[in-house]
Amino acid sequence: MARRCLSIILAAGEGTRMKSARSKVLHEVAGLSMVRHVVAAAVSAGSERIAVVSGRDSETVVEAVRRDRDDAEHIVQEERLGTGHAVLAARSAIEVGADDILVLFADTPLIRPETLARARATLIAGAQVCVIGFRPENPTGYGRLIESSGELMAIREEKDASEAERAITLCNAGVMAFSGDRALDILDAIENDNAKGEYYLTDAVEIARQKGLSVRAIEAEAWEVAGVNTRAELAGVEATWQAMRRERAMLEEGVTLIDPASVTFAHDTALGRDVTIEPNVVFGPGVNVGEGAVIHAFSHIAGATIAAGVSVGPFARLREGTDLKAGAKVGNFCEIKNAVLGEGAKLNHLSYIGDAEIGAKTNIGAGTITCNYDSALKHRTVIGADAFIGSDTSLVAPVRVGDGAYVGTGSVITDDVPDGALAIARERQVNKEGRGLAIAERNRAAKAAKAAKSEETS
Ligand code: UD1
Ligand code: CA
């Protein structure tokens, strides 16, 4: 039978150094809050139960987590008395019983499922406690891992460490795994007689050793256990995430990035084979790009489905609910929101298309606008297949243009256009013989009179 795994995610930090109105763990990496990154890693590592210990912004934090796991357990840590105290706040979740218990920090968003799985494997191999260590460039401030012949003997917090212990380079990342049947026994023995007067989770190591249990450390990469305390560290973690995502795009997904460092992905960007992405493109959440599509420079894309062979940009903005069918083309300075562009349809220049449906192979002329908002409600525009919308047309929704219909340039379309019809909705042109020359003559005279007057007064 599969081992049952509970993950306890500590998210009760004040996050003062973020200087933010929001809890630190709600700040985003690749468009997803840090706490949700940690939940995703725990779930991928096979954790079927998630318990979140929160402090500040409790309700918002748990709401975020429940978007992924609606059954997530939630505990508010009323007083912040240390990491050991925080884990014990989740006592009721621990009492339910689990084979493996993972303790994670919500401000360490890059932790890999593989590493969590290794920690669980260490428990299966016979340890009752497993600590994830790493070797930071500068170990100041971290707890040091004190090992002896393969066993982890203790974790010494910086403030309580001797000179010799401070020289140890293997540090505590904060992530720990406990054998479920021993966890409470160990955690209940933690006391707060140390330099900070806190209940240190790290004391669990010495306590387990005293009980004759086996404690092991495993090593993770420094980047994956990087914690975020400041906006600068948040930007550093974002940079690491983006660099890895670009590598994956190029090396595993067969995507061409002409200037990789200038492309920003979101946590869930999905890319097909042979996609090309030009410089300075930003992906917000919810984008799926089909095989062979080309995203030209300076495009901003979120919540959009882009089918195979589609061409987007340069300078395109695709918003929530954009659905571009195979072979469609969206050119420069076009904005699309909540609209379907049918197969092979073209929207090449300077348009806004919102709340609309455009049929296959229809051509939308330059400067066409769907007037979808009447100051209170949004309305739909539906255009059939093989239609032609002349440049600078305003489509006042709700309105329907039929299959094969033709709309004259500069029209303001307020009524439905039947299939195959021609619609022209603008003033007819009038030519007045000689009147152009007369106007020019009048204007020149006015200019001369004005110049003469300013000469007099100067
Ligand atoms: C902790 C470890 C240290 C390790 C370091 C790695 C302890 C005692 N020390 O130190 O060995 O090298 O992390 O970054 O565990 N939290 C709560 N409630 C509390 C206290 C903390 O939820 O009462 C949460 C914080 O929000 C944070 C995490 O636990 O996400 C770590 O707490 P923090 O005070 O930052 O521990 P460190 O001193 O950094
Ligand atoms: Ca910390």
Side-chain angles (χ1 to χ4, degrees):
M1 211 182 80
R3 287 170 72 94
R4 297 163 307 151
C5 178
L6 163 70
S7 289
I8 300 173
I9 300 177
L10 306 190
E14 274 298 318
T16 337
R17 285 189 283 159
M18 294 296 279
K19 304 200 185 305
S20 173
R22 298 186 294 159
S23 157
K24 169 165 78 175
V25 304
L26 294 173
H27 286 260
E28 295 177 349
V29 171
L32 187 73
S33 61
M34 291 198 276
V35 67
R36 289 179 70 190
H37 277 274
V38 175
V39 170
V43 170
S44 295
S47 179
E48 78 276 22
R49 282 172 61 215
I50 302 286
V52 184
V53 178
S54 67
R56 190 176 171 187
D57 286 349
S58 271
E59 284 315 309
T60 326
V61 170
V62 76
E63 251 168 53
V65 169
R66 286 187 178 151
R67 286 173 67 178
D68 303 312
R69 298 288 301 207
D70 56 10
D71 60 348
E73 293 156 69
H74 180 216
I75 303 98
V76 179
Q77 188 191 14
E78 302 288 354
E79 262 184 305
R80 228 175 145 269
L81 302 178
T83 47
H85 179 261
V87 175
L88 273 178
R91 177 187 296 277
S92 60
I94 300 171
E95 280 170 347
V96 171
D99 298 302
D100 306 334
I101 296 177
L102 292 170
V103 176
L104 299 139
F105 293 170
D107 61 1
T108 307
L110 300 182
I111 186 77
R112 286 184 301 167
E114 298 92 290
T115 305
L116 299 178
R118 263 204 294 146
R120 294 187 66 191
T122 307
L123 298 183
I124 295 167
Q128 277 80 35
V129 181
C130 176
V131 173
I132 297 183
F134 72 117
R135 295 185 195 275
E137 249 173 64
N138 174 11
T140 309
Y142 293 107
R144 307 299 205 280
L145 301 192
I146 302 169
E147 286 183 301
S148 171
S149 51
E151 278 286 308
L152 183 62
M153 308 308 287
I155 303 178
R156 196 75 70 230
E157 289 305 297
E158 171 100 8
K159 283 193 172 143
D160 303 296
S162 68
E163 194 79 14
E165 287 166 343
R166 280 184 199 178
I168 296 171
T169 57
L170 187 60
C171 294
N172 176 27
V175 183
M176 286 201 201
F178 290 89
S179 175
D181 55 349
R182 305 312 295 260
L184 274 179
D185 194 20
I186 298 168
L187 294 167
D188 274 328
I190 294 176
E191 294 186 46
N192 65 348
D193 48 356
N194 52 53
K196 278 169 124 183
E198 286 187 358
Y199 293 88
Y200 288 165
L201 175 63
T202 46
D203 283 355
V205 173
E206 269 176 296
I207 292 165
R209 293 291 309 158
Q210 282 156 14
K211 291 179 184 291
L213 305 175
S214 168
V215 183
R216 300 264 165 177
I218 60 169
E219 227 178 296
E221 302 285 343
W223 62 259
E224 74 174 297
V225 293
V228 171
N229 298 299
T230 64
R231 306 264 182 169
E233 286 167 354
L234 182 66
V237 162
E238 176 83 34
T240 304
W241 190 95
Q242 292 293 342
M244 290 191 304
R245 183 65 188 89
R246 293 172 194 131
E247 289 269 318
R248 177 149 73 87
M250 293 185 287
L251 302 181
E252 290 169 32
E253 297 172 330
V255 169
T256 295
L257 302 178
I258 293 169
D259 179 15
S262 73
V263 176
T264 302
F265 291 109
H267 65 100
D268 59 353
T269 309
L271 303 168
R273 194 172 47 173
D274 288 319
V275 163
T276 296
I277 302 170
E278 289 186 356
N280 298 298
V281 171
V282 176
F283 290 94
V287 178
N288 197 313
V289 187
E291 203 165 313
V294 179
I295 312 296
H296 294 280
F298 295 98
S299 293
H300 192 288
I301 303 171
T305 302
I306 299 169
V310 166
S311 171
V312 172
F315 297 98
R317 170 140 194 242
L318 305 183
R319 295 164 54 200
E320 202 61 40
T322 296
D323 185 359
L324 308 180
K325 303 296 188 195
K329 188 166 184 293
V330 175
N332 42 253
F333 307 108
C334 293
E335 175 181 350
I336 305 182
K337 184 215 76 171
N338 187 31
V340 184
L341 209 54
E343 278 187 29
K346 291 192 174 70
L347 177 75
N348 275 335
H349 334 265
L350 300 149
S351 270
Y352 171 60
I353 299 296
D355 304 309
E357 203 175 299
I358 292 162
K361 299 211 289 290
T362 283
N363 186 89
I364 309 284
T368 294
I369 304 289
T370 52
C371 310
N372 59 325
Y373 185 51
D374 65 7
S375 84
L377 292 170
K378 301 280 171 64
H379 302 282
R380 284 188 75 71
T381 300
V382 178
I383 301 174
D386 292 303
F388 182 92
I389 309 294
S391 296
D392 197 26
T393 293
S394 296
L395 297 150
V396 183
V399 73
R400 190 181 180 287
V401 177
D403 292 339
Y406 194 107
V407 173
T409 294
S411 289
V412 176
I413 299 295
T414 54
D415 298 327
D416 289 357
V417 181
D419 291 351
L422 164 68
I424 307 175
R426 56 172 140 91
E427 280 290 279
R428 190 166 270 289
Q429 181 170 329
V430 206
N431 291 337
K432 298 187 175 176
E433 290 296 331
R435 187 79 178 113
L437 293 173
I439 288 170
E441 177 56 32
R442 185 193 66 196
N443 292 350
R444 273 195 297 275
K447 186 178 176 186
K450 195 176 169 194
K453 196 166 178 207
S454 76
E455 196 115 303
E456 260 171 44
T457 55
S458 66

